[in-house]
Every structure is written in structure tokens, then in C-alpha cells.
Amino acid sequence: MTGKLSQVGTTIFTIVSRRAQELNALNLGQGFPDYDIDPRLSELVAEAMRAGHNQYAPMEGLMTLRERIAARLLAVYGRRVDPESEITITLGGTEAIYSAIQAAAGAGDEVIAFDPAYDSYEPAVQLAGARCVRLPLAQPGFRYDWERVRAALNARTRLILFNSPHNPACTTASSADLDALAELIGGHDITVLSDEVYEHVVFDGGRHHSVLTHPALAPRSFAVFSFGKTLHATGLRVGYCVAPAALTRELRKVHQFNTFSIATPLQHAIAAYLAEQPDWGRGLAAFFQAKRDRLRRALAASGFALPPAEGTYFQLLDFSAFSTGDDMGFAERLLTEARVATIPLSPFYADPPHLSFVRLCIAKRDPTLDEAAVRLNAFAQRLKAA
Ligand SMILES: Cc1ncc(COP(=O)(O)O)c(C=O)c1O
């Protein structure tokens, strides 16, 4: 059989994590914390199971959880969202992205994604039978080229995949970017899928510009969020999608036959946890900024350049001072010679340009970051001496 995704292999994240384990390397590759979740959250999961919350949850998600999300959206973004008709609990951000794409795009449609693009976008578009049009963000600094987007729009364009804070570029979209996007799609039958899983991780006092706050974008956008990122618990696989009622109705038609409903005890536990922490998400920027700064300080004299990281839980490492080779080769050397696993950027592109960056995950314990810096500094010293 020729599978529908026959051209897709194992993701770079899985490959790097597997090899990091085999080589006993520090894994700054895949984006997940290496520290424990809040023990209170674990207790609440156990309590929810003991209390008998172990059967199917409502397809749309537990109402108490959706109400907590709505309250927080009002507090953070000043946006009143109806938990009944506009919020759906999904299996992580990944399912929200997948189900929204299936709902919005089909055969003959085009979906625009910006490269470097998160790896689940294009396969989801292909499974919908649509064509993914990949437009590179402009260098330096991975910026939107809105004229290029305008030139790519046509009558088949159905959906635009937008991501801020951006993985792996570590950039954040400005309010001018949102205005430009809104202006471009005005008058067209185009929906936006805004991947905002790092909404709380914006550094240096910056603000996250959510599509939910944009008067022209909010009525035509799916906004995707993840408790995996917000609660340092990527394994819980609970996320949510916020969209106007008409879009949510279509999303739920896919969701109900895709995952149907999300783990009941986890939804109870998360709802109870959020009730105990009404300011959830608030400390994340400071928490990750301290880690970003710690790693940047430790690598300041290494010879690697460190492009600005405005958000997400990643930091790019620019190795152009040491090598003119490609990022796949340099990541391999970092893995085998420095024993630090990183993620090259090429796999995030349909047509990779020559880029001298690898991505480091900063969602790690301080000793892990310190040890990674020791190894990277030592490797840089060896390269300088060679
Ligand atoms: C940009 C982006 N979108 C979506 C996801 C998926 O989120 P989740 O783990 O909740 O499925 C990730 C996870 O790394 C991500 O980086």
C-alpha cells in the first residue's frame, strides 16, 4: 500500500531524542521540560480518578474547565468568549490544529504556512486533501513578507496558519503583523488558524498579540492553546481551541470522530488546579526568561552568536563563526562530539535555505542548562583550536 503520508518519515524530534538517549547526550532538542510538574497537579489527577471521574467526558470538554478558560481569556485579553459554543477541549494543541485544518480545508483548497513551520501543519493539510503553500519568513530575523503573502493569495486560498510566539524562530508577531494579515484577507473567504501555544512566554516585558484581541481577526480565527506548555506537562495532552460559534461547530464535527473527548480525570484535575491558581500562566514569562538569560550569559563568550529570543521556550544558536556547513551536519557534530542534542531548522522548511542555526530548548533544569553550556563552550574551544 502507498500510504497517504508516504513521503513523511519519523520526525526530527523523535530521531534526535532517540539518539540523545543512545549517546547519553544532554537533550536540548525536543521541547519538553526535564523537571517535575507541580505535585499539587499530580494530587488533583489522583483525586479526580479516586472520585470516579473515569468515564467519557462531554465531547466539547468539561464545562467547568471551559468556564475557567473563558474567565482567564477575559482577564488576559479582555475578550468575552462563550464557553458553551466557542471553546473546545482538545488532545493538546496538536489535535486542535489537526481538527481545525480538517474542518476548514479540503480537496482543491490551498493553505498557507510560513517556514520554518511547526512540523504537524503540512501533514494535516495533506490529509485534508488540500495543498500546503509554504512561504519562508524573511531573513534576517524571520520576519513576515506581507507582499509575498498577498502575491500567494488566490481564489483557492482557504486557510492561513499563523504562529506567535513562533517555534522555532523565537520571534513574536507585532500588532502591525496582525493588522497586515487582517487587511490581506479582508473581503476573502479565508480563515486563520493561530497557533498560540506559547501565549504566556513573551520576554522583556513584551505583550502577546492574540488574534482574539483583534477585531477583524477574532471573528474568523481558530486560536489554539496548550496546557502542556502552560502547566509544564507536555504529557498530559490537553489543549483547547477558541473560535466563533460557526467555526467551533465545524471543528467539533471533526473532533467528535477524531478523539471524541479528552481524558476526564485530567480535565477535572486541570479545572481544579486552575481554580486554585486564578492567575495561571502569569509567572511563565519570568520563569523562562531567567532560563533564557542564564543560558545566554553562560554562552556569551563561546563564539556562538545568540539571536534575540523574544518568546517561546527555545533559544537559537548561530554557529556561522565556526562552520559554513549545513545545520543538519552541525547538529550531528553537536550531538556526537559535544554530546548536546539540538534541533536543526532545515526540517521545518519545505525548501530549506542555507541556515546556520540550531534550536536549543530552555525548558530544562538550571543544572541541565549549565552543563549544556559547559559542553558547548568546550566544543567551541576545540573548534577554535583546530
Ligand atoms: C508551535 C507549536 N504548536 C503546537 C504544538 C503542540 O502542542 P501540544 O504538545 O499541546 O500538542 C507545539 C509543541 O511543541 C508547538 O511548538
Side-chain angles (χ1 to χ4, degrees), residues 4 34 41 62 80 118 123 138 203 245 252 263 328 344:
K4 287 168 77 178
D34 70 346
L41 180 55
L62 207 67
R80 201 171 290 281
Y118 186 62
F203 302 138
R252 288 179 184 172
M328 299 296 282

Side-chain angles (χ1 to χ4, degrees), residues 65-108:
L65 179 55
R66 288 186 281 147
E67 282 168 351
R68 302 241 184 285
I69 293 167
R72 194 80 186 114
L73 292 174
L74 184 60
V76 176
Y77 300 121
R79 180 70 209 295
R80 201 171 290 281
V81 165
D82 176 14
E84 178 61 46
S85 62
E86 299 184 311
I87 300 176
T88 308
I89 307 299
T90 58
L91 199 143
T94 305
E95 192 243 327
I97 292 164
Y98 182 83
S99 292
I101 290 173
Q102 304 313 305

Side-chain angles (χ1 to χ4, degrees), residues 152 166 218 257 297 301 323:
H166 190 281
F257 297 119
R297 267 196 312 274
S323 166

